[in-house]
Amino acid sequence: WNKTFLRLLDFPPEMAFVGAPFESFIRYNAERADYGPGDPQGYVEERVLAARAFAPHEIERTRPDGTVLLVRGLPVPGHGFVTLYSDITAQRNAERQIREQTTLLETRVTERTAELRRSEAQMRLITDSIPALVAYFDHNRVYRYVNRGYREWFGLDPAKPGAVSARQYLGSATYDAIRPNVARALAGEAVTFEYETTIVGGTRVTARTTLIPEIGADGRVAGCFELTFDITEQKRAQAMLVQAQKMEALGQLTGGLAHDFNNILTVILGNLDALTRARSGDATVTEFVDPAVEAARRGADLIKGLLSFARKQPLEAQAADVMPLIASVGRMVRRSLPDSLQLDMASGNAPLWTWIDTHQLQNALLNLVLNARDACPLQGRIAV
């Protein structure tokens, strides 16, 4: 014996020892009514007599506490008898629940089918008013009913459901893709699946279809009820939500990078300022340091833009004359262009006022010019 034998059948440990009589375990069970009400001695004699036969057996026994045991016994020639006890309570409970749920589903489907047959006109009015496709097809995959939604989606005639062909209105590729789901439904399984299809007018939609099998009185699948919804907007909303989450994560990453880069630019600007003050009379230093300072400041402005993207830097909108901003971008970017490229910046004396974040405007112009530089051949002209 093993410990599970004692635990599963609630035998005291002291009962199990080498040489313990088989009859003692049977009597213990009988006296505690483990075999049910009645004469304990009769239960003992009956089971001891059966055990002496050493015949293979497989039985189920339900204990008073509701535990269901599967008992398998096999003789071992020349040695004795081996018995295996298994607790199958959960398995039997699950099977019972499945039977109850199946019965409930069959009852509901039968009731709905009967109601449909009693008031077909009223049901058609209801189903035609639902913003969905409702249909029924039999076990031979022949449509017996389709609602008005099929006419609106695929141009089909609800008055002639028998002429409806799923392969024809869905297309061979889509039909072949969903065919396994239809087979599962006709085998008795309720299924839900999604697919893309083209409806009247060439519009591409995403649909979600649920198939519920109808089980007949003989236990066979008589057909399937079909319910289809347009979930195109739902899918688009889900995609937009995912994109928004990605942008939020990108904004958090950008904010961290911008903060670190801003520290780097602070060091650069500080050293350039120190170099300018140390060599204030050197024209060469001024010629090269001033553009570097301007570029570093533009970098700092770019950081502001990144922080604004990350929602960590407020926009600084103000009234601004566009012309000086354009001229500033021209001076800054001209040195980054090859000599073979001509840069013509807008010019004029008339002020062009707007309400804008000046740094964002300059960044946009700078990006446009640099993109134009990369798109130009060896020789060309960039005009702002």
Side-chain angles (χ1 to χ4, degrees):
W1 71 94
N2 63 357
K3 292 181 179 180
T4 306
F5 169 74
L6 300 175
R7 175 180 54 79
L8 188 61
L9 281 81
D10 294 328
F11 288 135
E14 60 270 16
M15 285 188 63
F17 56 89
V18 176
F22 173 77
E23 183 266 348
S24 65
F25 292 93
I26 300 299
R27 184 170 299 280
Y28 185 88
N29 276 342
E31 291 177 350
R32 63 177 177 176
D34 213 63
Y35 302 130
D39 179 22
Q41 182 61 30
Y43 284 125
V44 172
E45 294 175 357
E46 176 186 355
R47 279 166 168 74
V48 170
L49 181 62
R52 287 198 177 112
F54 272 55
H57 61 267
E58 180 174 324
I59 62 173
E60 288 187 17
R61 180 164 68 87
T62 302
R63 299 194 61 216
D65 63 359
T67 302
V68 182
L69 299 178
L70 175 62
V71 185
R72 299 187 184 96
L74 289 172
V76 182
H79 294 279
F81 204 81
V82 175
T83 305
L84 177 65
Y85 297 82
S86 302
D87 184 351
I88 60 171
T89 308
Q91 177 183 341
R92 291 296 178 257
N93 288 339
E95 291 173 352
R96 176 180 53 79
Q97 291 178 359
I98 290 174
R99 288 194 298 270
E100 291 175 353
Q101 292 296 329
T102 301
T103 301
L104 179 61
L105 179 61
E106 291 175 350
T107 302
R108 290 179 177 176
V109 172
T110 301
E111 292 173 352
R112 292 175 183 176
T113 304
E115 181 180 354
L116 178 62
R117 291 169 179 170
R118 287 194 303 268
S119 54
E120 182 177 354
Q122 182 181 6
M123 186 62 67
R124 177 170 291 278
L125 176 62
I126 295 173
T127 56
D128 282 348
S129 302
I130 296 176
L133 277 63
V134 181
Y136 176 84
F137 56 88
D138 62 23
H139 65 282
N140 292 319
R141 306 191 185 193
V142 176
Y143 278 93
R144 299 302 180 185
Y145 174 84
V146 294
N147 74 335
R148 186 173 59 188
Y150 274 86
R151 179 172 59 201
E152 296 173 351
W153 272 37
F154 303 108
L156 306 177
D157 186 359
K160 300 178 181 179
V164 172
S165 167
R167 179 181 293 276
Q168 183 176 0
Y169 73 75
L170 290 176
S172 296
T174 302
Y175 179 78
D176 291 339
I178 69 173
R179 189 172 182 178
N181 295 292
V182 178
R184 289 167 55 194
L186 289 175
E189 178 184 357
V191 294
T192 299
F193 51 93
E194 298 177 2
Y195 56 94
E196 291 187 355
T197 187
T198 302
I199 62 176
V200 172
T203 304
R204 195 72 175 169
V205 300
T206 302
R208 176 184 291 134
T209 293
T210 297
L211 299 178
I212 301 177
E214 178 195 12
I215 310 299
D218 57 357
R220 299 180 181 180
V221 177
C224 289
F225 296 97
E226 176 183 333
L227 182 63
T228 299
F229 289 98
D230 181 357
I231 60 170
T232 307
E233 291 302 322
Q234 177 183 340
K235 287 292 186 181
R236 184 178 293 115
Q238 290 174 349
M240 292 175 63
L241 176 60
V242 171
Q243 181 64 21
Q245 293 171 340
K246 289 181 179 178
M247 294 301 293
E248 181 180 359
L250 180 59
Q252 294 173 353
L253 174 63
T254 301
L257 293 176
H259 178 74
D260 293 339
F261 192 47
N262 198 41
N263 293 338
I264 295 173
L265 288 177
T266 300
V267 175
I268 293 174
L269 284 170
N271 282 276
L272 290 175
D273 182 65
L275 178 61
T276 301
R277 286 188 278 103
R279 304 287 295 275
S280 59
D282 192 332
T284 302
V285 171
T286 301
E287 180 183 358
F288 290 99
V289 170
D290 286 353
V293 170
E294 179 69 16
R297 288 175 177 169
R298 292 300 304 156
D301 294 339
L302 177 60
I303 294 303
K304 289 184 178 181
L306 290 176
L307 289 173
S308 175
F309 170 75
R311 298 183 179 178
K312 294 184 178 181
Q313 177 75 24
L315 293 176
E316 299 178 354
Q318 57 184 317
D321 185 358
V322 173
M323 298 308 297
L325 300 178
I326 296 178
S328 174
V329 172
R331 289 193 302 271
M332 180 173 57
V333 79
R334 197 175 301 277
R335 290 180 178 274
S336 68
L337 300 179
D339 295 337
S340 59
L341 280 181
Q342 177 185 351
L343 176 63
D344 293 339
M345 304 300 290
S347 61
N349 296 324
L352 298 176
W353 289 93
T354 186
W355 186 264
I356 200 169
D357 186 312
T358 57
H359 300 305
Q360 296 250 4
L361 174 60
Q362 288 179 301
N363 285 337
L365 292 174
L366 178 61
N367 284 329
L368 285 173
V369 173
L370 294 181
N371 286 342
R373 176 200 64 185
D374 296 338
C376 279
L378 294 179
Q379 293 184 346
R381 173 175 174 266
I382 300 174
V384 178

